Amino acid sequence: SRTEPGEKEAAPRPDAFDLGAQSGRWAAFRERHRLSCEEAARLLLDAFEYRGLVKHTGGCHCGAIRFEVWASADLHVFNCNCSICTKKQNRHFIVPASRFKLLKGADNLTTYTFNTHRAQHTFCKTCGVQSFYTPRSNPDGYGIAPHCLDEGTVHSIVMEDINGKEWEKAMKEHKTIRDMSKP
């Protein structure tokens, strides 16, 4: 649309965009899958941004906590021997925060910290299960417990022992752990 001299052009709505020749395909896609515009856009963005990754879902034992995480079907899991990981048998893989979404249960989470208080050990107030946490090594990501994932999306697991008893030394020597939470 054209504006007359002195008139202000109407600002486009933030949710409006011109799909040109693809508008028919977009409408048919949304209708076929019964999706809102936002749901369809999220689906397509996820498919593009997370190419090669699988959407895993999981949660705690009682079901109060549910989450989704985009990660490889072939998981690289850390088996740490620090004091808390040993006591909890905390085996985990690391993902960037942008690939994790808490679906339900934020109000049912509680957090335990100790020592440096950098690691945020979150767990369900009801059943006590820690299905994910924020690791000290990767405060910009999440450590996900593979045993808390729903069945059907994990292809394989490679386990790597990490010497958490000598945490600073282990982090200095490990070549890739800090990059695992980068998008």
Side-chain angles (χ1 to χ4, degrees):
S1 67
R2 292 180 117 355
T3 57
E4 296 298 318
E7 284 184 49
K8 285 188 176 180
E9 189 173 311
R13 290 186 2 232
D15 61 342
F17 52 94
D18 181 11
L19 294 172
Q22 301 303 314
S23 58
R25 283 183 65 205
W26 178 254
F29 176 80
R30 287 186 49 223
E31 186 176 322
R32 182 170 55 251
H33 296 286
R34 296 186 178 107
L35 298 170
S36 70
C37 199
E38 182 178 346
E39 291 167 331
R42 180 170 186 224
L43 179 68
L44 295 173
L45 286 169
D46 285 350
F48 181 77
E49 288 180 347
Y50 302 137
R51 273 184 301 224
L53 302 178
V54 174
K55 181 167 75 170
H56 302 280
T57 57
C60 66
H61 184 260
C62 71
I65 310 299
R66 296 292 300 160
F67 64 87
E68 69 182 33
V69 60
W70 287 88
S72 173
D74 301 303
L75 300 177
H76 182 125
V77 174
F78 291 101
N79 182 30
C80 180
N81 69 352
C82 77
S83 62
I84 194 163
C85 288
T86 298
K87 296 271 186 189
K88 292 191 312 178
Q89 294 296 292
N90 180 28
R91 293 171 184 89
H92 59 278
F93 62 96
I94 297 171
V95 297
S98 62
R99 293 190 192 154
F100 176 87
K101 182 178 181 186
L102 183 62
L103 300 174
K104 81 174 208 182
D107 57 335
N108 211 50
L109 285 171
T110 192
T111 303
Y112 172 71
T113 66
F114 69 100
N115 194 10
T116 66
H117 303 284
R118 296 222 27 222
Q120 302 292 306
H121 297 275
T122 51
F123 58 96
C124 175
K125 291 178 186 177
T126 305
C127 66
V129 169
Q130 176 182 289
S131 49
F132 64 90
Y133 80 112
T134 305
R136 179 179 172 194
S137 63
N138 298 75
D140 56 346
Y142 288 95
I144 311 297
H147 50 273
C148 289
L149 297 178
D150 299 335
E151 292 183 19
T153 55
V154 175
H155 179 259
S156 68
I157 294 178
V158 172
M159 192 77 66
E160 178 183 353
D161 290 336
I162 192 141
N163 186 5
K165 287 181 180 178
E166 298 178 89
W167 193 88
E168 286 79 7
K169 180 181 176 193
M171 292 304 107
K172 197 178 288 186
E173 291 174 356
H174 201 284
K175 303 297 182 216
T176 60
I177 195 167
R178 295 213 191 249
D179 292 333
M180 291 179 163
S181 56
K182 304 292 182 244

